[in-house]
């Protein structure tokens, strides 16, 4: 979730109220944001601190001081939600126009725009304006892949504007804070070395055309989603702000535009008045942005009460919702009309309105009830059998280990003298470390690594694990399945095969499978040594055949394996599929 | 030579026979039976026994049982210095010098001065009036002035060595200290007193009861040695269960006691459809980023889905349905097909609920699971790429948020936690969503112990549930409460190959104690 840093003095000033840190923390808790940290501001000489506030990932309207203070003030019933509206044009005025050219459809097809007129920034609010764009870029805009924001000093550029996509060599301009003009392809090369901007370069680099916005004098406003032109750059003194959001997702572009507008229109000479911009689409249609209309939803207070488990009347419910920035009118004794402002893009369904009602009521004020649902509990049989076997193996003197499900290819292949191609493992496409390339196909590597890390322990070391391995199996819906296994190892100055062998016999006694000395038909269990496996010392290894099917292996590890795992002593092992015992 | 050898032996052994340990044991016990206490230093001196031998014997008596009590003391005393010990062996310089002078005719002074340490010896012998120097001849002749002398220095050193003389203020001792033949020392000694099982008859006795004694009946007349109950016993050979899985057992038990049925969670690989899309998690959600989730390259995709259900999911995401406006984006089947290591066991809950919704008659259920989930996280002291998720859910008609709060109180009460509070939170598939905090008495602060919520209609209605059925659910990790329970800071000390097996073997029984039922 995003974390927003705000100065305490500015926040309390905006809230029109002082709080102790504990009081403010409680307020955050009740609202569902979190006062994560309080950091000193050295310049303030102890007079001020910075609050680091965690904001839920879907509350884009609270990603800046303006939004946090507005929401909390309304929650505390010290303010009402402002009415966002579009400015009106008289007859000889026309909205600014942005024209989309066809080439953009191949790379970044959407642009939406608007203007904030006669804004008065100060250092703090200007900083907040920049920070909000950063936060939106990181979160809702998914690192500018979905939406990229460009903000410009409108007084330096001449509408109408053109949104085009051109070949990199055709685009040449001086980008933000640079001394010289660069061609767009050089520019991307340049920014691929920039610590902050390099992560955006790949969004367009491989395209044959790059998105670009020009004014009517051919001045470049921006090369979305990478960088703005230096010509139209803003400062704290900028009065008229032109905002463009280029995007691949229209819904998100609108949300981003609306958030910036509704947050900062409070600094306009006519607060909360926004000047719209006409965007001419490729097919010639013209759409006016932004769309600031509320969405309305009629809700039943009875249903709301039912879902929360409270009993509030229609007036109380309306008050509760108003406190959550949802302007609510009473229609009749059970029905509310809830106006969902553009700032609350998180409200998708009746259940979101219910949640806001519950938050305003106070989660911790809700009367707790125990569901009357009556059910008989049941265990998952495989887990029950696993637990019984775990206890039996521990009773036999073995210590239980708990090792990782993910491992490297080498852990199941090379270290056992095998080729990963021949092992039915599921492979991870995007591992962060080479330790996690595949799902384990055997429990053995984990146990051997555990011994390697515990070589100072008194001998013999007897370890076991009952857990799942993952096998590629194309007969299954997902193409893989888990298999529950028992693996046990005995590590000492001599291999102690008879002890591991004894453990097998003990387990078989416990699951009532008898030894089949004829080795001929499909009953009981026996060992088949007519097999080869590079993991084992030649001649000291067998397959475990249970009811006619191979269910496991038993034997003395090959000295190469011992060495590969950094071990020094002989070791005998058993690994057995226990699913047939369920 | 004989004389000299006798001198070299220690003062004690030269005067008494060295006692055997067992005879000394008997001596010491009989001494104690008639005395209130025994001072090892004094005892050794009085009996002219080596002090260390007395201490060793005392220790061996002590190891037998609660027979004696000992208390250590220290004392200042004097003892011959290294040089003093040489003189103790060889005699003083002046005595040896005197002996070197032929009784009749004396010796030329330069010859005499060739003897070892002659300068000191000559000066001391002269001042004692043992010698005279005839300077009439050249070189001068040194002659004995008296017929016989006693080596007083050696005698004094013997007396100091034998502890007969301990007073550092005696004039002769002060003289020897000036000559650096005697120095101050610190003596450690013990005061021994009788203890509860004191007896003079301890050394004798049989070590163990034997089969033979039982057969012959000889045990009736034999004495047996005391057992030492202060020593530790021999640890029986044993295996043990893993500390984390012992906690898992407790949680599992709690769910079973509460009437929950365990879900089959033995499928670590899941596709994005069941892991994300069915849970109303949009396809561009950060959790679906390669930075957060393990995607599979082989088998990379799933191709079979319940198609009518998939169509509903597609609709609820892209254009909205079931009363929801949806996320309004282009939903892509390819994204849903991608296989992943499941990021939560809620993927299993979703499959179970879907199955439940396909039943002709709805029957309320309570489900739980505890199993592994996977995140492509950067690893640190509290994060691993895999951990155990504990999950519980109840599906029934008209469940409320109050029901969720109520059942969470019941669940956490069984874990011994009664002070809970709930914070509004965000989660794509629950609404309302609540983070659960519990007041930890030991840490003296509120700690987050889990997440909870009511599943969204966008998740339930596409499955086919009617609108009046709600599902309340909660989840927590197994590792975090276990680390708090055991006071472990680094998760690698609990899970994985670096776990200390000795820690596992010393780990006590895990018993999570429920709090009393609230009135």
């Amino acid at each position: 979730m995003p974390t927003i840093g705000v100065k305490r003095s500015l926040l309390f000033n905006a809230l029109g109220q002082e709080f102790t840190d504990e009081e403010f923390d409680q307020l955050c808790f009740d609202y569902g944001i979190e006062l994560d940290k309080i950091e000193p501001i050295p310049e303030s000489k102890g007079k001020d601190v910075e609050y680091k506030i965690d904001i839920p990932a879907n509350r884009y309207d609270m990603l800046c001081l303006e939004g946090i203070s507005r929401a909390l003030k309304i929650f505390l019933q010290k303010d009402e939600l402002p009415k966002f509206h579009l400015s009106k044009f008289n007859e000889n005025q026309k909205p600014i126009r942005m024209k989309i050219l066809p080439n953009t459809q191949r790379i970044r097809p959407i642009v939406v725009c608007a203007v904030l007129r006669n804004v008065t920034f100060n250092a703090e609010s200007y900083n907040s304006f920049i920070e909000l764009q950063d936060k939106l870029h990181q979160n809702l805009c998914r690192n500018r892949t979905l939406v990229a924001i460009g903000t410009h000093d409108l007084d330096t550029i001449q509408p109408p504007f053109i949104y085009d996509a051109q070949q990199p060599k055709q685009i040449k301009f001086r980008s933000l804070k640079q001394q010289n003009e660069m061609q767009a392809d050089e520019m991307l090369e340049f920014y691929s070395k920039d610590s902050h901007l390099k992560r955006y370069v790949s969004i367009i680099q491989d395209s044959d055309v790059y998105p670009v916005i020009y004014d009517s004098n051919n001045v470049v406003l921006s090369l979305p989603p990478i960088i703005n032109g230096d010509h139209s750059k803003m400062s704290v003194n900028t009065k008229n702000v032109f905002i463009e959001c280029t995007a691949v997702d229209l819904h998100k572009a609108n949300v981003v535009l609306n958030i910036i507008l509704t947050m900062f229109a409070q600094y306009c000479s006519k607060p909360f008045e926004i000047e719209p911009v006409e965007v001419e689409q490729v097919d010639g249609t013209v759409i006016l942005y932004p769309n600031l209309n509320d969405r309305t939803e009629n809700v039943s207070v009875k249903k709301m009460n039912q879902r929360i488990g409270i009993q509030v009347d229609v007036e109380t419910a309306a008050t509760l919702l108003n406190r959550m920035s949802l302007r609510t009118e009473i229609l009749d004794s059970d029905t509310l009309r809830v106006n969902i402002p553009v700032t609350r893009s998180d409200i998708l369904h009746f259940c979101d309105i219910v949640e806001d009602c519950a938050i305003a009521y106070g989660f911790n004020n809700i009367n707790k009830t125990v569901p009357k649902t009556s059910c008989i509990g049941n265990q998952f049989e495989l887990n029950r059998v696993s637990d019984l076997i775990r206890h039996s193996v521990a009773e036999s003197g073995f210590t239980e280990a708990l090792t990782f499900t993910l491992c490297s290819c080498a852990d199941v292949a090379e270290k056992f003298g095998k080729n990963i191609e021949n092992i039915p493992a599921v492979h991870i496409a995007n591992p962060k470390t080479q330790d996690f390339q595949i799902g384990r196909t055997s429990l053995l590597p984990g146990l051997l690594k555990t011994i390697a890390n515990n070589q100072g322990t008194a001998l013999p070391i007897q370890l076991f694990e009952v857990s799942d391995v993952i096998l590629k199996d194309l007969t299954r819906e997902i193409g893989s399945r888990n298999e529950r296994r028992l693996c046990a190892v005995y590590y000492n100055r001599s291999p102690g095969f008879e002890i591991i062998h004894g453990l097998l016999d003990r387990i078989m006694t416990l699951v009532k499978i008898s030894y089949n000395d004829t080795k001929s038909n499909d009953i009981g269990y026996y060992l088949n040594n007519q097999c080869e496996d590079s993991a084992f010392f030649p001649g000291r290894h067998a397959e475990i055949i249970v009811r006619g099917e191979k269910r496991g292996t038993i034997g003395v590890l090959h000295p190469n394996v011992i060495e590969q795992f950094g071990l020094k002593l002989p070791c005998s092992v058993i690994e057995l599929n226990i699913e047939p015992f369920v | 030579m004989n004389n000299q050898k006798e001198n070299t032996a220690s003062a004690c052994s030269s005067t008494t026979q060295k006692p055997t340990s067992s005879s000394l044991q008997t001596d010491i016990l009989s001494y104690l039976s008639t005395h209130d206490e025994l001072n090892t230093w004094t005892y050794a001196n009085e009996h002219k026994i080596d002090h260390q031998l007395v201490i060793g014997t005392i220790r061996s008596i002590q190891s037998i049982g609660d027979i004696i009590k000992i208390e250590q003391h220290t004392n200042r005393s004097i003892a011959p210095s290294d040089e003093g010990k040489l003189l103790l062996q060889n005699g003083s310089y002046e005595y040896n010098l005197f002996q070197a002078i032929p009784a009749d005719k004396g010796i030329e002074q330069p010859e005499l001065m060739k003897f070892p340490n002659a300068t000191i010896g000559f000066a001391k012998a002269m001042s004692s009036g043992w010698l005279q120097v005839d300077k009439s001849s050249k070189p001068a002749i040194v002659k004995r002035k008296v017929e016989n002398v006693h080596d007083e220095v050696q005698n004094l050193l013997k007396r100091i060595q034998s502890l007969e003389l301990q007073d550092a203020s005696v004039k002769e001792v002060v003289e020897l200290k000036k000559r650096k033949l005697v120095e101050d020392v610190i003596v450690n000694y013990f005061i021994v007193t009788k203890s509860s099982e004191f007896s003079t008859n301890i050394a004798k006795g049989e070590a163990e009861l034997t089969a033979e004694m039982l057969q012959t009946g000889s045990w009736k007349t034999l004495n047996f040695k005391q057992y030492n109950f202060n020593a530790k016993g021999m640890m029986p050979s044993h295996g043990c269960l893993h500390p984390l899985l012992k906690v898992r057992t407790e949680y599992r038990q709690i769910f079973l006691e509460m009437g929950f049925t365990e879900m089959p969670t033995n499928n670590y690989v899941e596709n994005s459809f069941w892991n994300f899309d069915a849970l109303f998690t949009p396809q561009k959600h950060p959790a679906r980023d390669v930075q957060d989730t393990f995607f599979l390259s082989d088998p990379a995709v799933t191709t079979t889905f319940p198609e009518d259900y998939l169509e509903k999911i597609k609709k609820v995401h892209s254009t909205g349905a079931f009363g929801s406006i949806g996320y309004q984006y282009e939903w892509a089947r390819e994204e849903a097909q991608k296989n992943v290591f499941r990021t939560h066991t809620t993927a299993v809950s979703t499959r179970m609920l879907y199955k439940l919704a396909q039943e002709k008659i709805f029957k309320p259920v309570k489900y739980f699971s505890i199993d592994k989930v996977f995140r492509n996280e950067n690893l640190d002291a509290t994060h691993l790429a895999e951990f155990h998720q504990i999950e519980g859910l109840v599906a029934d008609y008209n469940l409320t948020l109050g029901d969720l709060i109520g059942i969470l109180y019941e669940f956490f009460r069984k874990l011994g936690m009664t002070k809970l509070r709930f914070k509004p939170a965000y989660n794509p598939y629950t609404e309302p969503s609540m983070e659960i905090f519990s007041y930890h008495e030991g840490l003296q602060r509120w700690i987050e112990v889990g997440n909870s919520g009511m599943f969204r209609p966008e998740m339930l209605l596409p499955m086919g549930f009617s609108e009046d059925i709600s599902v309340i659910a909660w989840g927590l990790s197994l590792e975090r409460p276990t680390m708090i329970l055991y006071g472990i800071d680094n998760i690698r000390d609990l899970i994985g190959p670096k776990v200390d097996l000795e820690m596992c073997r010393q780990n006590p029984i895990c018993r999570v104690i429920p709090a009393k039922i609230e009135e």
Side-chain angles (χ1 to χ4, degrees):
Chain A
M1 67 176 71
T3 303
I4 311 298
V6 293
K7 282 187 184 167
R8 183 174 65 188
S9 58
L10 293 175
L11 181 63
F12 288 178
N13 192 35
L15 289 170
Q17 187 181 342
E18 295 283 323
F19 296 84
T20 64
D21 291 341
E22 291 72 26
E23 285 166 352
F24 189 73
D25 182 52
Q26 183 62 44
L27 175 64
C28 288
F29 191 94
D30 291 340
Y31 195 83
I33 59 180
E34 192 173 328
L35 179 56
D36 184 43
K37 268 190 217 128
I38 301 175
E39 285 180 354
I41 302 174
E43 309 89 84
S44 79
K45 299 200 169 77
K47 285 187 186 143
D48 204 357
V49 293
E50 188 176 48
Y51 278 170
K52 295 282 187 193
I53 303 176
D54 283 348
I55 305 294
N58 64 343
R59 286 301 296 268
Y60 310 112
D61 59 320
M62 295 182 77
L63 294 179
C64 59
L65 170 91
E66 289 74 9
I68 295 171
S69 59
R70 195 181 296 162
L72 292 179
K73 234 172 142 178
I74 296 168
F75 183 65
L76 294 168
Q77 294 178 286
K78 296 159 77 82
D79 203 352
E80 285 185 3
L81 186 70
K83 290 200 161 71
F84 313 112
H85 58 280
L86 299 182
S87 53
K88 302 268 185 291
F89 296 97
N90 52 36
E91 279 138 35
N92 46 13
Q93 282 179 313
K94 284 183 90 178
I96 290 171
R97 179 168 288 212
M98 166 76 82
K99 182 179 166 65
I100 303 178
L101 297 186
N103 263 350
T104 56
Q105 305 306 296
R106 288 157 51 190
I107 167 88
R108 201 169 179 88
I110 296 158
V111 66
V112 295
C113 319
V115 171
L116 290 175
R117 284 282 173 192
N118 294 313
V119 181
T120 308
F121 284 118
N122 60 27
E124 305 287 359
S125 58
Y126 183 71
N127 193 35
S128 176
F129 182 71
I130 303 295
E131 293 265 312
L132 173 63
Q133 293 175 52
D134 259 0
K135 292 292 173 193
L136 288 168
H137 275 149
Q138 287 162 25
N139 295 285
L140 184 56
C141 305
R142 304 291 291 127
N143 286 319
R144 303 193 188 178
T145 54
L146 304 180
V147 185
I149 309 158
T151 56
H152 309 274
D153 186 339
L154 182 58
D155 298 330
T156 65
I157 43 179
Q158 188 59 51
F161 304 112
I162 289 169
Y163 179 40
D164 196 3
Q166 297 179 327
Q167 288 173 3
K169 290 192 192 313
Q170 295 177 305
I171 308 168
K172 195 171 185 189
F173 69 104
R174 191 154 66 85
S175 59
L176 204 60
K177 292 179 191 163
Q178 294 307 311
Q179 298 302 317
N180 302 312
E181 288 195 345
M182 271 187 279
Q183 226 165 254
D185 48 349
E186 299 163 359
M187 199 176 284
L188 260 63
E189 201 56 45
F190 175 75
Y191 286 120
S192 67
K193 294 177 190 81
D194 183 287
S195 64
H196 174 58
L197 294 173
K198 64 179 176 195
R199 67 188 124 147
Y200 307 124
V201 166
S202 65
I203 303 173
I204 59 168
Q205 192 163 32
D206 295 335
S207 168
D208 60 333
V209 289
Y210 290 174
V212 59
I213 297 176
Y214 290 103
D215 80 347
S216 59
N217 296 326
N218 244 10
V219 170
V220 172
L221 273 65
S222 62
L223 182 77
I226 313 295
I227 188 84
N228 286 351
D230 195 70
H231 183 93
S232 59
K233 71 164 179 262
M234 284 186 59
S235 76
V236 66
N237 299 316
T238 299
K239 282 286 141 202
N240 299 302
V241 184
F242 178 70
I243 303 162
E244 38 89 2
C245 298
T246 58
V248 296
D249 180 321
L250 178 61
H251 177 69
K252 288 201 169 64
N254 274 317
V255 172
V256 169
L257 181 65
N258 291 343
I259 292 292
I260 297 175
L261 295 171
T262 53
M263 292 301 120
F264 287 90
Q266 74 181 61
Y267 299 120
C268 294
S269 61
K270 294 176 185 165
F272 304 109
E273 184 171 290
I274 289 145
E275 182 179 312
V277 170
E278 289 178 348
V279 180
E280 184 181 331
Q281 308 295 309
V282 173
D283 63 5
T285 56
V286 174
I287 303 173
L288 197 68
Y289 290 103
N291 178 356
L292 297 176
N293 295 336
D294 289 349
R295 188 161 62 84
T296 61
E297 189 97 35
N298 289 357
V299 301
S300 153
V301 174
K302 195 176 147 215
K303 280 173 87 176
M304 215 152 58
N305 277 331
Q306 195 288 316
R307 196 165 161 90
I308 304 171
I310 54 175
Q311 286 299 325
V312 296
D313 57 27
V314 67
E315 287 81 14
T316 311
T319 309
L320 291 174
L321 290 177
N322 273 315
R323 286 178 56 200
M324 299 305 291
S325 306
L326 300 173
R327 206 178 286 117
T328 304
E329 307 149 43
I330 299 167
L331 292 187
D332 60 40
S333 62
D334 182 52
T335 317
L336 298 174
R337 167 163 292 172
V338 181
N339 298 286
I340 301 155
V342 289
T343 46
R344 293 299 307 275
S345 60
D346 58 301
I347 306 276
L348 307 178
H349 189 277
F350 167 68
C351 68
D352 297 299
I353 298 170
V354 172
E355 181 182 65
D356 273 15
C357 181
I359 291 171
Y361 185 87
F363 281 2
N364 297 295
N365 299 327
I366 297 168
N367 198 19
K368 52 179 190 275
T369 47
V370 177
K372 294 179 180 61
T373 316
S374 166
C375 296
I376 307 293
N378 283 303
Q379 303 187 44
F380 177 44
E381 273 313 305
L382 179 59
N383 288 358
R384 188 216 293 268
V385 169
S386 300
D387 274 0
L388 292 171
I389 289 176
R390 284 174 57 228
H391 280 95
S392 299
V393 179
E395 280 160 11
S396 307
F398 287 75
T399 296
E400 187 174 37
L402 179 59
T403 65
F404 296 140
T405 301
L406 305 179
C407 64
S408 71
C409 293
D411 285 343
V412 297
E414 284 93 326
K415 289 182 184 176
F416 290 96
K418 294 178 184 179
N419 186 341
I420 189 69
E421 310 269 310
N422 305 324
I423 292 176
V426 300
H427 289 253
I428 293 172
N430 56 327
K432 272 191 185 141
T433 118
Q434 293 306 298
D435 293 340
F436 303 138
Q437 296 173 304
I438 56 168
R440 64 180 171 199
T441 53
S442 163
L443 300 179
L444 189 52
L447 292 186
L448 295 180
K449 285 187 202 178
T450 306
I451 294 177
N453 281 295
N454 279 281
Q455 297 201 57
T457 307
L459 294 172
I461 299 178
Q462 303 186 137
L463 279 189
F464 83 100
E465 183 167 10
V466 174
S467 196
D468 285 355
V469 299
I470 308 160
L471 303 173
K472 186 175 163 184
D473 181 348
L474 295 177
T475 67
R476 301 296 182 104
E477 178 193 336
I478 308 289
S480 94
R481 65 181 165 88
N482 284 21
E483 186 174 286
R484 186 71 45 92
R485 294 209 182 148
L486 159 68
C487 185
V489 298
Y490 179 88
Y491 180 76
N492 202 354
R493 294 189 191 286
S494 67
F497 178 75
E498 68 284 1
I499 288 162
I500 284 296
H501 192 183
L503 180 67
L504 170 66
D505 295 335
R506 171 74 184 146
I507 295 295
M508 290 303 178
T509 306
L510 291 170
V511 298
K512 294 198 283 186
I513 296 175
S514 54
Y515 184 66
N516 172 356
D517 48 12
T518 68
K519 301 191 177 188
S520 57
N521 44 29
D522 292 351
I523 55 161
Y525 77 100
Y526 63 88
L527 297 182
N528 166 35
N529 62 349
Q530 301 303 307
C531 56
E532 293 207 355
D533 191 328
S534 56
F536 294 96
F537 201 56
R540 305 265 161 118
H541 146 249
E543 292 173 342
I544 304 166
I545 310 294
V546 182
R547 297 185 188 121
E549 288 200 45
K550 187 198 161 187
R551 296 297 188 185
T553 48
I554 190 166
V556 176
L557 283 185
H558 197 284
N560 291 343
V561 177
I562 305 261
E563 190 190 334
Q564 285 288 327
F565 281 92
L567 301 177
K568 296 182 180 68
L569 302 177
C571 185
S572 52
V573 305
I574 179 173
E575 184 160 21
L576 181 65
N577 176 1
I578 61 166
E579 293 187 9
F581 307 152
V582 174
Chain B
M1 281 303 283
N2 261 351
N3 254 353
Q4 229 177 347
K5 189 156 194 186
E6 223 174 67
N7 283 348
T8 63
S10 82
C12 306
S13 56
S14 66
T15 49
T16 55
Q17 224 183 345
K18 187 172 177 173
T20 63
S21 182
S22 69
S23 74
L24 182 57
Q25 211 170 62
T26 315
D27 292 348
I28 286 173
L29 289 169
S30 62
Y31 179 95
L32 268 174
S33 67
T34 54
H35 297 77
D36 287 341
E37 62 172 46
L38 179 150
N39 179 323
T40 54
W41 183 242
T42 321
Y43 187 87
N45 293 341
E46 280 173 4
H47 295 81
K48 305 204 185 304
I49 315 167
D50 182 45
H51 186 220
Q52 288 309 316
L53 183 68
V54 176
I55 291 174
T57 308
I58 294 287
R59 292 247 187 243
S60 77
I61 295 172
Q62 199 190 19
S63 72
I64 295 167
D66 193 18
I67 295 158
I68 50 168
K69 281 187 208 140
I70 66 172
E71 199 178 298
Q72 190 175 349
H73 291 265
T74 56
N75 205 356
R76 285 184 171 280
S77 184
I78 46 171
S81 66
D82 288 346
E83 193 183 0
K85 279 176 191 160
L86 281 173
L87 267 63
L88 191 60
Q89 279 184 29
N90 304 328
S92 68
Y93 305 139
E94 53 268 40
Y95 180 78
N96 292 339
L97 190 92
F98 181 85
Q99 297 297 339
I101 299 170
D104 43 359
K105 57 187 192 285
I107 188 169
E108 288 181 359
Q109 193 170 11
E111 277 305 303
L112 184 67
M113 297 318 272
K114 285 177 188 167
F115 278 86
N117 299 302
T119 316
I120 306 173
F122 184 75
K124 291 289 170 193
M126 283 298 287
S127 66
S128 300
W130 292 356
L131 306 178
Q132 58 184 2
V133 183
D134 179 2
K135 289 183 180 169
S136 58
S137 55
K138 290 277 174 186
I141 302 290
V142 181
K143 287 183 177 167
R144 294 185 178 187
K145 195 174 176 179
V146 291
E147 232 172 79
N148 239 327
V149 294
H150 292 288
D151 193 347
E152 278 305 323
V153 170
Q154 194 186 36
N155 274 340
L156 276 170
L157 286 171
K158 275 185 186 171
R159 286 171 61 206
I160 290 167
Q161 172 83 344
S162 69
L163 309 169
E164 201 178 300
L165 181 59
Q166 289 179 59
D167 187 353
S169 63
V170 173
K171 194 181 137 209
E172 292 88 340
V173 176
V174 173
E175 179 65 23
L176 287 185
K177 276 178 89 177
K178 271 188 199 159
R179 288 181 68 179
K180 296 203 165 60
L181 298 177
V182 167
E183 61 194 6
D184 291 322
V185 290
I186 290 177
V187 180
N188 289 315
Y189 66 97
F190 294 89
I191 299 294
V192 184
T193 51
K194 293 188 273 263
S195 189
S196 61
E197 289 165 26
F198 180 80
S199 157
T200 52
N201 187 19
I202 53 153
K204 288 171 195 154
E206 303 296 331
E208 283 300 350
L209 188 62
T210 64
E212 198 190 348
M213 293 174 195
L214 293 178
Q215 277 163 12
T216 60
S218 66
W219 63 270
K220 292 173 191 164
T221 53
L222 287 170
N223 282 330
F224 289 87
K225 273 189 190 170
Q226 296 272 353
Y227 272 175
N228 177 10
F229 292 98
N230 294 323
K232 284 210 166 172
M234 200 166 87
M235 191 60 63
S237 79
H238 65 282
C240 64
L241 297 175
H242 189 275
L244 184 81
L245 300 183
K246 293 200 284 197
V247 181
R248 181 180 74 176
T249 300
E250 288 290 291
Y251 275 86
R252 199 162 167 268
Q253 190 63 34
I254 287 169
F255 278 112
L256 292 168
E257 285 168 7
M258 291 174 73
F260 282 67
T261 288
E262 192 170 29
M263 293 186 276
T265 45
N266 56 335
N267 59 322
Y268 292 163
V269 178
E270 185 53 278
N271 57 49
S272 294
F273 179 78
W274 288 102
N275 194 78
F276 295 120
D277 293 284
L279 283 94
F280 200 51
T281 304
Q283 294 191 325
K284 291 290 183 187
H285 192 276
R288 304 179 70 156
D289 201 291
V290 291
Q291 292 302 314
D292 286 60
T293 297
F294 288 115
F295 288 88
L296 264 63
S297 58
D298 182 24
V301 294
T302 300
T303 50
T304 49
F305 297 96
E307 291 296 334
D308 54 338
Y309 176 49
L310 179 134
E311 279 306 313
K312 287 179 192 162
I313 293 294
K314 176 179 178 176
K315 195 158 180 239
V316 79
H317 276 248
S318 54
T319 60
F322 306 103
S324 172
I325 62 166
Y327 292 120
Q328 300 173 49
Y329 70 100
E330 273 183 49
W331 187 86
R333 185 188 177 95
E334 297 71 40
E335 202 59 43
Q337 285 185 310
K338 290 179 180 171
N339 285 339
V340 298
F341 267 95
R342 71 171 176 223
T343 62
H344 47 191
T345 50
T346 321
V348 177
S349 311
T350 308
R351 279 183 181 270
M352 294 296 285
L353 287 171
Y354 175 75
K355 226 171 114 187
L356 183 69
Q358 309 317 301
E359 302 284 332
K360 286 211 169 59
I361 299 160
F362 172 76
K363 267 195 282 181
V365 298
K366 293 193 209 170
Y367 287 149
F368 84 96
S369 65
I370 309 171
D371 209 341
K372 279 185 178 176
V373 298
F374 303 85
R375 305 273 168 94
N376 198 3
E377 296 221 41
N378 291 315
L379 311 184
D380 61 34
T382 53
H383 292 88
L384 289 175
E386 52 192 86
F387 62 94
H388 289 78
Q389 184 185 340
I390 302 168
E391 179 164 356
L393 68 86
V394 184
D396 202 349
Y397 293 105
N398 297 318
L399 291 170
T400 67
L401 193 58
D403 286 333
L404 175 57
I405 293 170
I407 201 161
L408 287 172
Y409 268 98
E410 288 303 315
F411 177 78
F412 284 99
R413 185 185 61 74
K414 284 197 167 269
L415 295 164
M417 298 179 222
T418 52
K419 273 168 99 175
L420 300 184
R421 60 176 192 162
F422 302 92
K423 174 177 164 288
Y426 168 65
N427 184 354
Y429 51 89
T430 54
E431 190 83 6
S433 312
M434 306 192 299
E435 278 173 11
I436 311 159
F437 286 76
S438 166
Y439 191 76
H440 193 285
E441 298 292 346
L443 301 174
Q444 293 278 301
R445 61 184 169 89
W446 290 91
I447 54 170
E448 194 193 329
V449 291
N451 262 298
S452 65
M454 302 178 79
F455 282 150
R456 291 188 74 99
E458 289 98 325
M459 175 180 167
L460 299 178
L461 298 179
M463 292 176 174
F465 284 115
S466 68
E467 277 192 37
D468 53 357
I469 291 169
S470 7
V471 180
I472 54 178
W474 69 98
L476 52 153
S477 92
L478 176 63
E479 281 77 357
R480 206 172 122 76
T482 304
M483 286 170 76
I484 294 172
L485 182 73
Y486 293 143
I488 291 174
D489 295 330
N490 189 337
I491 196 160
R492 288 182 190 79
D493 294 339
L494 183 64
I495 298 175
K498 296 197 173 148
V499 167
D500 177 9
L501 293 177
E502 203 46 45
M503 181 279 285
C504 296
R505 294 172 65 83
Q506 298 291 339
N507 186 260
I509 285 173
C510 175
R511 177 173 166 231
V512 175
I513 301 171
K516 291 216 169 66
I517 293 169
E518 253 182 283
E519 292 305 324

